[in-house]
Amino acid sequence: MSLLTTAGGGANGASEFVVTNSARFDRASADRLYFDQGSGDDTTARRKWTFSTWIKRSQMVNSSNHQYFFGVGDYTLLGFRRDDSGEANDLYFQVGTGSSAQGVHCNAKFRDPAAWMHIHAIFDSTQGTAANRLQLRINGNLVDDSYGDYSTDQRSSITQNDEDDFVGNNGQRINIAYSANGTSSFFDGYMSETHLLIGTSKAYTEFAETDDDTGEWVPKQTSFATSDYGSNGFKLEYKQTGTSANASGIGADTSGNGNHFTVQNLNAQNVTTDTPDNNFCTINTIYKDNGNNLVTADFSQGATKMVSTQDGWKFGRGTFLLDAGKWYVEVKATEAGAGENGRFGLQPAEGGEALGNTDDNDTFEGFGVDFSGSNTNLDKLDTGSGTTLFSNFSSGSIAMLALDLDNDKVWVGSNGTWNNGSASQSTTLDPSNHDFTLPTVLHGWVFGLGMTKNSSNNIEFEYNWGQPSFSISSAESDAEGHGTFEYAVPSGFFSCCTKNLAEYG
């Protein structure tokens, strides 16, 4: 598990290029982009192709299904296969040639929901050495005996100069965030800077490079000619928000080919600024509770939404470790009926009482806010039954949190109004009055999330660290221009992203 404390892909000292956008795909919603190929790529062109993309994973558990982020026709694909534990973590790269399919299956597990990673794949059947006919790199590292290795390796079955039956083939459908090879094999997470070049193999160093300052693998400005993409190749930057297959759509092709993708179940909220160059906090979907059990709540929308459909408490944590700085967060109670409770706040990074197990400050080391669907109050988690901060907090309401970790102070707001320590509720945060004083902890803080379902109603919260899954009417950002929020970010406070962590954390 990664808990990010530094730039984490935020600052690029290698070049001036900065990736600005990504697309957020939700497996449960069957989100995808697709394009039906035309003619133009002959059998010679289809002997080699290059695929490159950046991805950030969200929900890992996928029941009985895989998670493919690139699929062409029935058999050419790239993504994560489900293992016996029910998690789709085994990276798989397969190509359909000669009416069959050959692939490589990595031994390594790829299950970090906190970090972006670069996927670079080449099919090149013209290579004289069979091992070079499929090449797979993760963050610049070639998957081989020293990195990842293969549990399945069928490269020797690829005939030299054989063409891919699907990539570049007229009428075959290209899917982004999905493959037809498997039932409901949709990807869950974020994708950025996605390329397919047909008829050419381009080195991984053409797409990314090592940051001079941090030593991290970061995106690089590409300079390919339209002809490098072949007839059916494409470049997706996810900068547009439209839902049509054109230059204004989420699936707009910017390679020069105009191979614009059809949008399925995506809208403007699925276009984000969570990128390899500026990574935002999300829910840690592989967090295990005090009993070492994987959290059983449902996570969706790029791990910004948490839903409980089962009785009993469910807990979660954010992906960022915070030990300094001033941070702003919003939490929307999307659904919460009578008998349901939701809690959110900060927990010590080294453990401590799970958020939701107690209302007693004798054992609770962080701070928390409690919402009960029974009384529609937003309560401070302290001794006894808690102190009401706001009444009339109900489904659809948005809580605001201002976290000053330099001075150990916390403010709580509701629907645009700050409590200010109950001294004077106002739309402006009062620095002289606050709602919580944080204790001293050894290793800093992580966001704590908790919810319980005790009736026939579900409970659902959406957490906005700067990339909301819910619709925003006012689109407020912090002073650095990062993040999108419903209400104004207090002066001196910032969204939880790696660029701000590098500057203020």
Side-chain angles (χ1 to χ4, degrees):
M1 177 183 74
S2 291
L3 290 174
L4 301 182
T5 57
T6 60
N12 187 344
S15 69
E16 296 299 320
F17 176 65
V18 175
V19 176
T20 59
N21 290 93
S22 69
R24 177 169 53 206
F25 296 92
D26 183 46
R27 173 188 59 81
S29 300
D31 296 346
R32 67 166 169 164
L33 300 168
Y34 63 88
F35 163 70
D36 292 328
Q37 298 176 96
S39 60
D41 294 311
D42 59 21
T43 55
T44 299
R46 286 159 43 205
R47 292 173 180 170
K48 64 176 70 173
W49 52 261
T50 307
F51 180 80
S52 170
T53 193
W54 288 82
I55 66 169
K56 176 181 172 181
R57 303 201 65 192
S58 296
Q59 178 67 287
M60 310 289 173
V61 177
N62 197 12
S63 300
S64 61
N65 302 319
H66 311 302
Q67 289 193 24
Y68 297 128
F69 47 83
F70 176 61
V72 189
D74 291 332
Y75 292 112
T76 293
L77 55 87
L78 184 58
F80 300 98
R81 293 176 66 91
R82 183 188 65 88
D83 60 21
D84 292 337
S85 71
E87 294 188 14
N89 297 320
D90 301 341
L91 191 58
Y92 191 71
F93 176 24
Q94 176 180 282
V95 174
T97 65
S99 301
S100 62
Q102 297 81 31
V104 289
H105 191 171
C106 297
N107 275 321
K109 303 289 186 180
F110 297 90
R111 50 186 171 199
D112 187 349
W116 281 87
M117 64 177 175
H118 180 224
I119 309 292
H120 177 267
I122 289 179
F123 165 70
D124 187 353
S125 69
T126 68
Q127 293 291 320
T129 302
N132 294 332
R133 293 170 193 164
L134 288 185
Q135 300 174 50
L136 181 61
R137 285 181 170 83
I138 313 299
N139 293 334
N141 298 297
L142 179 67
V143 179
D144 56 13
D145 292 343
S146 62
Y147 181 83
D149 203 357
Y150 298 116
S151 58
T152 299
D153 185 353
Q154 300 170 327
R155 288 174 294 180
S156 61
S157 298
I158 299 174
T159 302
Q160 188 173 17
N161 293 322
D162 200 359
E163 68 269 11
D164 189 325
D165 292 339
F166 302 98
V167 170
N169 200 354
N170 186 18
Q172 295 292 337
R173 175 166 291 182
I174 298 176
N175 288 286
I176 297 298
Y178 172 74
S179 170
N181 190 317
T183 304
S184 299
S185 297
F186 292 93
F187 175 67
D188 200 277
Y190 302 76
M191 294 184 67
S192 186
E193 288 292 296
T194 304
H195 300 255
L196 175 64
L197 301 98
I198 302 175
T200 184
S201 58
K202 293 291 185 180
Y204 64 103
T205 51
E206 297 273 1
F207 303 89
E209 59 192 341
T210 301
D211 186 286
D212 297 334
D213 298 326
T214 67
E216 294 178 355
W217 193 245
V218 295
K220 177 182 179 180
Q221 177 77 63
T222 57
S223 56
F224 305 130
T226 300
S227 57
D228 291 330
Y229 289 90
S231 295
N232 290 290
F234 55 86
K235 177 182 180 181
L236 304 180
E237 298 180 90
Y238 312 110
K239 291 183 176 181
Q240 306 300 322
T241 58
T243 57
S244 299
N246 56 34
S248 299
I250 297 170
D253 171 26
T254 58
S255 71
N257 274 336
N259 294 328
H260 306 307
F261 280 64
T262 297
V263 176
Q264 177 175 300
N265 300 330
L266 300 169
N267 57 34
Q269 288 301 124
N270 295 99
V271 176
T272 85
T273 57
D274 188 338
T275 71
D277 282 321
N278 194 18
N279 189 8
F280 278 76
C281 184
T282 56
I283 301 171
N284 178 4
T285 58
I286 60 171
Y287 168 68
K288 294 186 176 181
D289 63 21
N290 291 344
N292 200 35
N293 298 310
L294 193 68
V295 177
T296 56
D298 292 329
F299 304 108
S300 60
Q301 296 302 326
T304 61
K305 181 185 291 188
M306 182 175 178
V307 182
S308 181
T309 59
Q310 304 173 20
D311 290 348
W313 280 100
K314 313 298 178 187
F315 307 104
R317 284 191 168 196
T319 53
F320 277 22
L321 171 66
L322 302 172
D323 57 6
K326 299 180 180 181
W327 311 103
Y328 177 73
V329 185
E330 293 179 346
V331 182
K332 183 175 182 179
T334 310
E335 180 181 354
E340 277 64 56
N341 284 77
R343 294 176 175 180
F344 41 89
L346 289 180
Q347 290 179 256
E350 68 272 18
E353 189 70 27
L355 184 63
N357 276 3
T358 182
D359 284 341
D360 189 345
N361 269 345
D362 292 336
T363 56
F364 183 64
E365 300 176 27
F367 96 89
V369 178
D370 175 84
F371 163 68
S372 171
S374 299
N375 58 26
T376 66
N377 288 342
L378 198 61
D379 294 334
K380 175 181 177 179
L381 282 180
D382 50 16
T383 56
S385 61
T387 303
T388 297
L389 302 175
F390 291 93
S391 58
N392 299 319
F393 189 90
S394 57
S395 295
S397 292
I398 297 175
M400 307 121 69
L401 303 178
L403 314 171
D404 183 351
L405 302 187
D406 295 330
N407 299 291
D408 298 325
K409 296 179 179 180
V410 178
W411 289 261
V412 179
S414 171
N415 297 323
T417 300
W418 293 102
N419 186 66
N420 284 324
S422 299
S424 58
Q425 292 190 357
S426 170
T427 56
T428 304
L429 187 147
D430 182 353
S432 64
N433 293 291
H434 61 283
D435 298 307
F436 290 86
T437 299
L438 292 171
T440 300
V441 294
L442 184 61
H443 298 299
W445 301 95
V446 292
F447 289 100
L449 323 169
M451 56 177 53
T452 180
K453 174 189 180 311
N454 293 315
S455 72
S456 59
N457 300 312
N458 295 333
I459 181 166
E460 177 180 308
F461 276 14
E462 297 180 76
Y463 303 90
N464 180 18
W465 289 281
Q467 297 298 304
S469 58
F470 54 89
S471 178
I472 294 291
S473 61
S474 55
E476 302 282 351
S477 298
D478 64 26
E480 295 291 343
H482 302 313
T484 302
F485 299 97
E486 182 63 43
Y487 300 108
V489 180
S491 177
F493 288 77
F494 300 94
S495 59
C496 294
C497 60
T498 50
K499 284 192 173 182
N500 283 337
L501 277 177
E503 183 73 18
Y504 302 108

